[in-house]
Amino acid sequence: MMKCAKKRSKLYKELKNCVIKDATAEETGLADHSIDLIICAQSFHWFDAMKAKREFERILKNQGKAAIIWNIRSAETTFEKEYEEFILEFSIDYKEVKNRETRGNNLKNFFLPNSMEEHLFIYDTYLTFEQLLGRTLSYSYMPNEGHKRTPEMKTRLRVLFDKYATNQIISLSYKTKLFMGML
């Protein structure tokens, strides 16, 4: 479970049964056998997998499932390949994060003794420069606004965007991998 701000947004105020907890995947603080479905989106690689599994087993109801999701940026088009090179050049710890993100290579063991379902969804996103910049700055492995390389990074991203954009829009393809099963 991701740590969340204590202040509830307007959306959460409207959802009467939504509760935000300041907890971890390994120690959720949730009641035994109280959850039907656990969803881990872009987060599983940060968990201690075996501790999280024990916690998930504790909080899941009988027949409850866990879903682990990763969005994987493609590097197939010329722009996407150059964007990947750009990320490698400016990232703080991208190689380390990529090594942690096994993206399902060991998830069969996590779901044992049960089996898991695996699904793949492919889609494109279409971004303005501001959206691409926002997405780039949001990656945990990229420099933040206060970093000394951020001005250079923004300039180089603009050059890359302008090189490949059509009508001020760039396309990025993604693969979403979903792994789901009972624990």
Side-chain angles (χ1 to χ4, degrees), residues 97-176:
V97 170
K98 281 188 75 81
N99 286 337
R100 263 197 314 263
E101 292 179 351
T102 57
R103 293 188 166 93
N105 294 339
N106 66 351
L107 286 177
K108 287 182 183 177
N109 292 333
F110 181 77
F111 286 99
L112 286 175
N114 298 307
S115 60
M116 68 173 192
E117 301 170 35
E118 186 173 341
H119 301 277
L120 179 66
F121 306 91
I122 299 171
Y123 63 97
D124 294 326
T125 58
Y126 301 94
L127 307 168
T128 64
F129 175 73
E130 290 74 22
Q131 292 167 325
L132 178 64
L133 175 60
R135 181 166 298 180
T136 303
L137 289 171
S138 76
Y139 297 142
S140 64
Y141 43 79
M142 294 302 283
N144 60 27
E145 281 289 354
H147 194 276
K148 64 183 179 183
R149 291 198 71 200
T150 301
E152 177 191 3
M153 181 185 76
K154 287 180 176 182
T155 300
R156 293 273 302 283
L157 184 61
R158 183 78 218 195
V159 169
L160 182 61
F161 179 87
D162 289 344
K163 181 177 176 182
Y164 291 101
T166 302
N167 297 323
Q168 296 301 304
I169 299 290
I170 199 73
S171 174
L172 269 178
S173 300
Y174 285 85
K175 295 174 185 142
T176 296

Side-chain angles (χ1 to χ4, degrees), residues 4-20:
C4 298
K6 291 181 182 179
K7 188 174 183 180
R8 295 177 129 211
S9 74
K10 182 180 177 185
L11 172 64
Y12 290 122
K13 287 179 184 176
E14 294 172 8
L15 299 173
K16 303 284 187 239
N17 293 324
C18 182
V19 176
I20 298 173

